[in-house]
């Protein structure tokens, strides 16, 4: 209950009202948006602020797995969070986020929750830390060159993305389990990914797919569309890249060669590139990639000991963490984390703490993309002894996120 407006679980019959609210909150009202939401929305995981039959607020979670350092864990993928403009500043968002975290914790299945923050000032208040970053690339594609092509031309084939889902899924799954920050994709998530109504294209072409074939079978794919443009110099179209996934460097390189050389284009835009995107080290003029740093995944530890025990650590670690969590009491206290590359345990202890932090900052460090030492330099984490676990919490590649949800 918030200001007299009760919270209740969603049902399948609430879809139309939920969609109407989301269209209002995210300024996106079209049949394409409606049908896309219908593919993935789990109304049984929705929370609704019900003001006498009006859906005044909504938050939901998607049931997916997340790759973390050294493993894969169930993770509540939080989405569809919004409050009707007529009901803002009345505590509805706080009520929904608290209730949602309580229910996820009590269910005991998902030790972490993740989200993309439309407003980055909001979610740290509820324990979500900035756990991964991304690069947005705005490439001047006629001003970059890749290494010389192989003597034997690569085998590339285009096709309808929906028809290529089985092959793309196999490639994605082979890569996903080693790429921290990537989520699993059940069949309905693939349908959502390639769903391509005209009213969601913003004037661009239909979604295209290309597969790279190696002697052992498909080894990479790319999804993209083109937004046409001409100026007084001539063709000036923009290749809008959705994702590039490859199981080996050769496939990755040739997919990018293809994307950078599409006729009548002068720009390539890729908004979900990894911080360590290999393209940066392939082109002859990396400044022409136009890289801009942006945030991506925010992560929240819901079951702290289970989450810390579920991942692996880059170096041996035996450290006592004193953690504060104002929303989930069970996470507050001192925890001894012992582990390394082969496994970990985490249990309560009364031993003196080596490090003090909030659950928000521990969430930021969880995927290995935000250093505890950097957070200490910012005054957010207190290192109380010389036993600094920063190296152990890192990983050999930074986390990335291939998709928003």
């Amino acid at each position: 209950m918030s200001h007299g407006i009760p919270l209740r679980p969603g049902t399948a019959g609430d879809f139309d009202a939920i969609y109407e609210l989301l269209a209002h909150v995210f300024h996106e009202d079209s049949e394409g948006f409606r049908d896309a939401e219908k593919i993935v929305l789990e109304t049984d995981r929705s929370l609704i602020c019900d003001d006498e039959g009006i859906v005044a607020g909504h938050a939901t979670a998607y049931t997916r797995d997340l790759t973390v350092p050294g493993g894969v864990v169930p993770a509540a993928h939080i989405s569809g969070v919004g409050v009707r403009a007529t009901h803002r500043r009345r505590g509805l968002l706080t009520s929904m986020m608290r209730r949602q975290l309580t229910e996820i914790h009590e269910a005991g299945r998902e030790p972490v929750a993740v989200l993309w923050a439309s407003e980055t000032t909001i979610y740290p208040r509820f324990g979500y830390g900035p756990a991964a970053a991304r690069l947005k690339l705005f490439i001047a594609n006629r001003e970059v060159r890749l290494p010389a092509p192989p003597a034997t031309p690569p085998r590339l084939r285009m096709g309808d993305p929906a028809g290529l889902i089985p092959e793309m899924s196999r490639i994605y799954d082979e890569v996903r389990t080693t790429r921290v920050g990537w989520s699993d994709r059940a069949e309905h998530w693939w349908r959502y990914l390639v769903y391509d109504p005209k009213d969601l294209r913003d004037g661009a072409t239909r979604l295209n797919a290309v597969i790279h074939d190696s002697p052992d079978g498909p080894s990479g794919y790319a999804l993209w569309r083109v937004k046409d443009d001409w100026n007084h110099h001539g063709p000036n179209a923009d290749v809008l890249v959705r994702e590039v996934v490859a199981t080996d460097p050769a496939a990755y390189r040739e997919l990018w060669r293809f994307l950078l050389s599409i006729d009548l284009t002068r720009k390539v835009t890729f908004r979900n590139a990894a911080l360590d995107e290999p393209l940066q080290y392939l082109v002859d003029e990396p400044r022409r990639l136009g890289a801009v740093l942006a945030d991506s995944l925010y992560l929240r530890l819901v079951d702290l000991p289970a989450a810390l025990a579920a991942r692996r650590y880059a170096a041996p670690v035996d450290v006592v963490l004193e953690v504060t969590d104002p929303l989930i009491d069970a996470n507050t206290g001192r925890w001894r984390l012992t582990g390394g590359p082969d496994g970990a345990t985490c249990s309560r202890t009364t031993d003196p703490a080596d490090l003090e932090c909030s659950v928000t900052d521990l969430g930021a460090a969880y995927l290995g993309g935000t250093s505890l030492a950097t957070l200490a330099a910012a005054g957010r984490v207190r290192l109380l002894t010389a036993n600094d676990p920063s190296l152990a919490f890192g990983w050999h590649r930074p986390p990335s996120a291939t998709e928003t949800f």
Side-chain angles (χ1 to χ4, degrees), residues 264-280:
L264 305 182
T265 69
R266 296 296 181 268
K267 298 170 286 187
V268 176
T269 300
F270 182 31
R271 295 181 180 272
N272 284 342
L275 285 187
D276 64 341
E277 191 68 43
L279 183 63
Q280 299 172 92

Side-chain angles (χ1 to χ4, degrees), residues 308-309 311-313 317 337-345:
L308 293 182
R311 60 156 290 179
R312 302 296 175 257
Y313 296 86
V317 60
L337 171 65
T338 304
D342 298 323
T345 61

Side-chain angles (χ1 to χ4, degrees), residues 68-341:
V68 302
V72 175
V73 301
H77 285 53
I78 309 304
S79 189
V81 181
V83 174
R84 193 173 295 274
T86 53
H87 290 69
R88 295 174 66 243
R89 308 302 182 195
R90 295 165 66 176
L92 272 63
L93 177 64
T94 297
S95 294
M96 289 190 299
M97 298 305 290
R98 286 176 177 268
R99 168 87 167 263
Q100 185 180 63
L101 284 170
T102 298
E103 291 183 352
I104 295 170
H105 181 264
E106 289 177 349
R109 196 189 79 85
E110 296 157 321
V112 301
V114 289
L115 55 77
W116 287 71
S118 55
E119 298 278 359
T120 56
T121 61
I122 295 174
Y123 296 98
R125 290 188 286 140
F126 305 106
Y128 288 89
R134 60 183 164 129
L135 294 178
K136 296 190 287 186
L137 303 182
F138 303 95
I139 307 169
N141 60 335
R142 292 300 186 265
E143 298 184 38
V144 294
R145 296 290 181 273
L146 292 171
T152 302
R155 294 188 58 188
L156 298 172
R157 54 188 168 89
M158 289 178 56
D160 172 40
L164 293 173
I165 285 176
E167 290 170 282
M168 293 191 296
S169 178
R170 286 193 292 273
I171 295 166
Y172 180 84
D173 285 343
E174 182 175 342
V175 176
R176 172 183 66 86
T177 55
T178 63
R179 288 300 279 139
V180 173
W182 289 25
S183 302
D184 76 326
R185 287 181 184 161
E187 187 271 340
H188 67 287
W189 274 102
W190 275 103
R191 286 192 287 112
Y192 174 79
L193 181 75
V194 304
Y195 181 63
D196 190 34
K198 193 169 185 179
D199 58 6
L200 290 184
R201 296 176 189 169
D202 192 27
T205 67
R206 71 185 61 187
L207 188 66
N208 298 295
V210 61
I211 299 284
H212 180 278
D213 286 315
S214 70
D216 297 323
S219 55
Y221 71 86
L223 292 168
W224 88 98
R225 63 177 85 246
V226 176
K227 191 162 188 177
D228 192 31
D229 186 31
W230 291 71
N231 60 24
H232 55 279
H233 294 295
N236 193 45
D238 191 357
V239 181
L240 308 177
V241 177
R242 174 77 63 82
E243 61 185 35
V244 179
V245 179
T247 61
D248 64 66
Y252 178 87
R253 182 189 64 240
E254 296 312 312
L255 287 168
W256 271 110
R257 192 188 309 279
F258 172 85
L259 294 168
L260 293 170
S261 60
I262 294 174
D263 288 342
L264 305 182
T265 69
R266 296 296 181 268
K267 298 170 286 187
V268 176
T269 300
F270 182 31
R271 295 181 180 272
N272 284 342
L275 285 187
D276 64 341
E277 191 68 43
L279 183 63
Q280 299 172 92
Y281 309 100
L282 283 173
V283 299
D284 63 343
E285 181 49 275
R287 289 181 182 175
R288 296 298 184 263
L289 297 179
V292 177
L293 182 66
D295 58 282
S296 61
L297 286 181
Y298 280 65
L299 186 141
R300 216 280 186 197
L301 302 185
V302 180
D303 184 336
L304 185 148
L308 293 182
R311 60 156 290 179
R312 302 296 175 257
Y313 296 86
V317 60
D318 185 358
V319 65
V320 175
L321 310 172
E322 182 148 2
V323 183
T324 56
D325 187 339
L327 300 184
I328 301 177
D329 290 340
N331 289 334
T332 295
R334 289 184 189 171
W335 301 93
R336 178 173 290 279
L337 171 65
T338 304

Side-chain angles (χ1 to χ4, degrees), residues 361-381:
D361 295 314
L362 201 56
Y366 182 74
L367 296 180
T370 304
S371 166
L372 285 169
T374 300
L375 292 170
R380 298 187 60 92
V381 166

